[in-house]
Amino acid sequence: MKKLLLPAAAATLALASFAFPFSPPTTAVTEPLALADPNTTDEVPQDHKLVIYQVMTRLFGNKKTLNKPYGTAAENGVGKFNDITDKALQEIKKLGASHVWYTGVLEHATMTDHSKAGGPGPDDADVVKGRAGSPYAIRDYYDIAPDLAVDVKNRKQEFEALVKRTHANGLKVIIDFIPNHVARSYASNAKPAGTVDLGEKDDKNKAFAPNNNFYYLPGKALVVPKAGNPLGAALGPKEDGKFTENPAKATGNDVFSEAPKVDDWYETVKLNYGVDYQNGRKGHFEPIPDTWLKMRDILVYWAQKDVDGFRCDMAEMVPIEFWGWVIPEVKKVKPGIVFMGEAYNPKEYKNYLEKGKFDYLYDKVGLYDGLRRLMTGSGTTEDITTVWSKESRGFGSRMLRFLENHDEQRIASKQFAGDARTAIPAMTVSATLGSGPVMVYFGQEVGEPANGAEGFSSADGRTSIFDYWGVPEHQKWMNGGKFDGGKLDSNQKMLRDFYARLLNLTSTSDAIRRGKFYELQDANNLGKEYDQRLVYSYLRYTDKQKLLIIANFSKDKTLKPTIDIPKPALLAMGLDPDKFYTYTDLLNNAPATESLTLTLPPLSAYVLEINPK
């Protein structure tokens, strides 16, 4: 180790290979900053560092590689609960995950006929999107998708076994709750005895009634969109444009017309939570609407099946008053259960956290969109500053950060970045900017590009949620069920190793889990070779650990800045500005250096632990 000459004197850092050398401290900083400082916030960080691994359950364990557009389950294959083995779960745990979000678990509309196996028959293709069907068009809230079971009759038991297996491997379970809409064919065959089904007692002669479960268009029959074409040139079961629904119900995306368009959610119907949409959106919440009670019972049912959390689809399309009532109701039954809301309106985030009682909300319109612009060369780091300083100021630890999920395009797709390595700086920021949850989507960690048109899902850079399909790069990691990465190439192995290092550091670092935040852009924006449009640096710290995090988003520039940690930041961390310090790169497992003159290759990131000399 070289002698220290100045507090920020010169030795260079470069990427290195990696293993985790430290044990996480446990005590958080509690003292507030003495003076208001525009480079930080007064938010007291809370430890909400869930690391969520999202699995599209139908696709995850599928070993077939035919990938025929519009292919059947027999042709293209379909993953089962039983494919998610102890070994698979152990490898997900080793990646750094704390939770697995099993997407598409509940029974939904599908063109596949399971009646001979003791399950439901096919839906009318006029109101199904894709041969497999959207997992967000629920056909029975109380049942399990038959596609996911080896023995269809025992599908619920196979799901319960997966929950137990997941818990046994040290992971918690999240499933979807889709509250806003259901499939047009909704009818529960698995509801508990004595349960009244949705719509069973509705007055269908009324467009709106507070205790109706659906909205109706009396005197009008549904007109199916002619251009739906769910199987392309082929015809699905009963695909004739004659699906009967009379009176027509309002369509899931708030369309109060008997003739929804092809780009509407025409396969779904909207649930009525007591909001009269056609009369000024007046709320009728007292007495408690019938739909509220039914949905509470559904949530409690699954909470009692030992799931640990719900990802709540399109949470803002359901009145906030419902959430503020139902979430505490479910937590009476299972106090530790978590609710994550899919939300897109930053102006309402605080309301949904405080009044709506959500634990977490999506940070899509904000950090995801800002990082995406940086990753595609059309943004600057100012977007990151806007997120913490304005958009989620005061509640950043409650925002779920991610770069991929089932709705978004794959990073490696040509429609997004075209290069999985662009995730290195962006994912580092996503995981470490705050003390809130972070998520990865299966296949992200090996650079899955979602090539090809699967069927109903066009060549759009997304992994299909509508079709039966094999996910090729993920299948290389799966390696026929060995889950050992045996077929990955060297670049994929390096990428997955990066994710494992980052996520494990994220989940074990005291400063990342519960530390305060201090941005260093202002201190460095005039520095030579510090391109503040493409380089982003900040501190995360507690009284037990101090970290300096730096990301270079440039795809082609190696930069060599000298990072300045200003006196106010040193004092905020409880460090003496006149003392000297060493910097150890925990992310890349590089040896300690005594310099903050750094070499930042393109698409690189560093997490430097600061310790006294």
Side-chain angles (χ1 to χ4, degrees):
M1 189 176 290
K2 296 180 181 178
K3 296 270 186 180
L4 190 65
L5 303 176
L6 293 170
T12 55
L13 284 173
L15 282 169
S17 63
F18 177 131
F20 262 169
F22 73 102
S23 298
T26 56
T27 308
V29 152
T30 56
E31 68 275 5
L33 288 176
L35 298 173
D37 187 325
N39 300 295
T40 188
T41 76
D42 56 3
E43 178 179 353
V44 178
Q46 300 173 12
D47 183 357
H48 291 294
K49 191 53 76 179
L50 286 58
V51 179
I52 301 165
Y53 188 84
Q54 183 191 359
V55 165
M56 183 65 198
T57 317
R58 179 201 298 152
L59 304 179
F60 181 84
N62 181 24
K63 301 179 186 69
K64 287 198 174 183
T65 58
L66 176 63
N67 283 357
K68 174 185 174 183
Y70 300 105
T72 64
E75 291 169 327
N76 281 354
V78 56
K80 309 292 184 181
F81 292 132
N82 289 0
D83 292 324
I84 306 172
T85 61
D86 284 311
K87 172 64 172 172
L89 292 164
Q90 288 161 15
E91 293 304 312
I92 292 170
K93 179 71 173 176
K94 288 179 187 175
L95 192 66
S98 60
H99 292 65
V100 182
W101 166 16
Y102 293 115
T103 304
V105 163
L106 301 185
E107 183 186 327
H108 55 81
T110 178
M111 293 189 209
T112 301
D113 186 357
H114 291 282
S115 58
K116 291 181 181 179
D123 277 86
D124 189 316
D126 287 336
V127 286
V128 182
K129 289 181 177 176
R131 191 181 292 278
S134 168
Y136 293 94
I138 298 299
R139 187 164 62 181
D140 187 344
Y141 278 122
Y142 286 103
D143 210 347
I144 294 295
D147 266 338
L148 304 180
V150 174
D151 181 352
V152 170
K153 289 182 180 178
N154 290 320
R155 57 192 179 275
K156 199 168 286 187
Q157 290 88 339
E158 288 188 25
F159 171 69
E160 291 168 354
L162 174 63
V163 172
K164 289 181 181 177
R165 195 159 62 248
T166 305
H167 288 158
N169 284 285
L171 294 158
K172 294 188 175 182
V173 172
I174 295 169
I175 65 170
D176 290 284
F177 174 55
I178 299 91
N180 175 67
H181 50 271
V182 295
R184 291 199 180 268
S185 58
Y186 187 91
S188 179
N189 299 311
K191 61 186 184 295
T195 300
V196 177
D197 210 359
L198 286 167
E200 189 176 325
K201 294 187 176 181
D202 280 7
D203 184 347
K204 298 180 183 179
N205 295 310
K206 293 182 178 178
F208 168 81
N211 279 320
N212 274 359
N213 299 134
F214 298 110
Y215 297 96
Y216 297 93
L217 299 162
K220 298 179 179 180
L222 177 71
V223 180
V224 176
K226 291 183 179 179
N229 210 22
L231 292 183
L235 286 178
K238 300 182 183 178
E239 187 181 352
D240 55 10
K242 297 179 181 179
F243 177 79
T244 302
E245 184 179 279
N246 195 357
K249 301 184 182 80
T251 294
N253 59 321
D254 298 357
V255 173
F256 287 78
S257 166
E258 75 279 12
K261 297 176 182 177
V262 71
D263 55 354
D264 288 321
W265 304 348
Y266 66 85
E267 80 281 21
T268 69
V269 290
K270 186 171 179 67
L271 285 164
N272 170 14
Y273 283 81
V275 179
D276 190 350
Y277 279 81
Q278 294 177 294
N279 286 289
R281 294 179 176 248
K282 184 178 179 183
H284 299 261
F285 304 143
E286 292 183 8
I288 293 170
D290 183 70
T291 302
W292 290 28
L293 299 170
K294 284 184 166 67
M295 302 311 268
R296 176 199 61 189
D297 293 347
I298 290 162
L299 286 164
V300 167
Y301 177 84
W302 292 108
Q304 291 176 331
K305 293 288 184 186
D306 215 16
V307 304
D308 303 291
F310 297 101
R311 178 267 186 189
C312 301
D313 187 68
M314 299 306 297
E316 293 166 307
M317 296 185 77
V318 172
I320 197 169
E321 291 84 357
F322 166 72
W323 295 117
W325 173 79
V326 81
I327 290 174
E329 285 286 301
V330 179
K331 290 191 176 189
K332 290 176 186 175
V333 176
K334 188 166 185 177
I337 203 160
V338 298
F339 282 78
M340 306 187 310
E342 180 189 14
Y344 297 106
N345 183 359
K347 293 180 181 178
E348 291 296 322
Y349 288 169
K350 193 171 184 181
N351 282 338
Y352 274 81
L353 290 169
E354 294 181 356
K355 187 177 178 182
K357 308 294 184 184
F358 273 97
D359 296 293
Y360 311 111
L361 297 177
Y362 268 37
D363 195 350
K364 194 276 181 187
V365 181
L367 193 62
Y368 169 88
D369 283 351
L371 289 174
R372 182 179 174 120
R373 287 189 289 271
L374 268 166
M375 295 165 76
T376 55
S378 61
T380 75
T381 61
E382 290 178 7
D383 288 333
I384 305 172
T385 303
T386 299
V387 169
W388 70 259
S389 64
K390 296 178 182 177
E391 199 170 271
S392 58
R393 188 181 185 98
F395 50 86
S397 59
R398 306 276 295 281
M399 302 304 291
L400 169 65
R401 271 77 190 246
F402 56 85
L403 293 181
E404 285 190 2
N405 63 40
H406 67 280
D407 284 321
E408 308 302 339
Q409 291 168 327
R410 293 286 193 174
I411 296 163
S413 71
K414 62 183 179 182
Q415 293 87 348
F416 189 167
D419 183 349
R421 294 175 305 157
T422 60
I424 291 171
M427 197 67 210
T428 301
V429 171
S430 286
T432 67
L433 187 70
S435 59
V438 64
M439 181 170 74
V440 295
Y441 188 36
F442 86 106
Q444 176 182 345
E445 73 277 21
V446 294
E448 171 59 42
N451 289 332
E454 299 96 334
F456 184 82
S457 184
S458 60
D460 60 1
R462 297 174 177 86
T463 294
S464 175
I465 66 169
F466 304 104
D467 307 287
Y468 297 110
W469 202 251
V471 183
E473 304 311 310
H474 165 73
Q475 287 176 327
K476 292 178 182 178
W477 170 71
M478 189 167 59
N479 193 17
K482 294 179 183 178
F483 298 99
D484 62 0
K487 295 182 179 179
L488 298 176
D489 64 29
S490 58
N491 287 329
Q492 289 175 309
K493 289 178 180 178
M494 288 172 63
L495 183 69
R496 194 173 191 279
D497 181 58
F498 158 75
Y499 275 93
R501 288 183 271 124
L502 174 65
L503 297 177
N504 277 285
L505 176 57
T506 295
S507 63
T508 55
S509 162
D510 189 62
I512 295 171
R513 292 195 70 102
R514 53 181 68 82
K516 286 182 173 289
F517 168 87
Y518 196 105
E519 188 184 82
L520 297 177
Q521 296 300 88
D522 280 352
N524 289 277
N525 62 12
L526 299 178
K528 187 179 180 181
E529 289 213 29
Y530 190 96
D531 185 344
Q532 66 167 344
R533 298 168 305 153
L534 297 174
V535 177
Y536 192 71
S537 61
Y538 52 99
L539 302 165
R540 296 293 311 284
Y541 61 94
T542 65
D543 56 354
K544 298 294 184 183
Q545 187 181 40
K546 332 291 182 189
L547 298 179
L548 166 61
I549 301 166
I550 309 134
N552 179 14
F553 287 89
S554 174
K555 293 184 178 182
D556 54 16
K557 292 181 182 178
T558 295
L559 300 170
K560 298 184 179 182
T562 298
I563 304 296
D564 179 26
I565 303 177
K567 183 175 181 179
L570 290 166
L571 292 174
M573 289 191 290
L575 298 180
D576 186 341
D578 296 322
K579 296 271 177 83
F580 300 106
Y581 300 92
T582 62
Y583 309 95
T584 304
D585 186 0
L586 302 180
L587 179 57
N588 302 295
N589 196 30
T593 180
E594 299 164 4
S595 168
L596 283 180
T597 296
L598 311 180
T599 297
L600 308 179
L603 301 177
S604 61
Y606 304 89
V607 179
L608 307 180
E609 186 172 43
I610 306 168
N611 286 301
K613 169 79 166 96

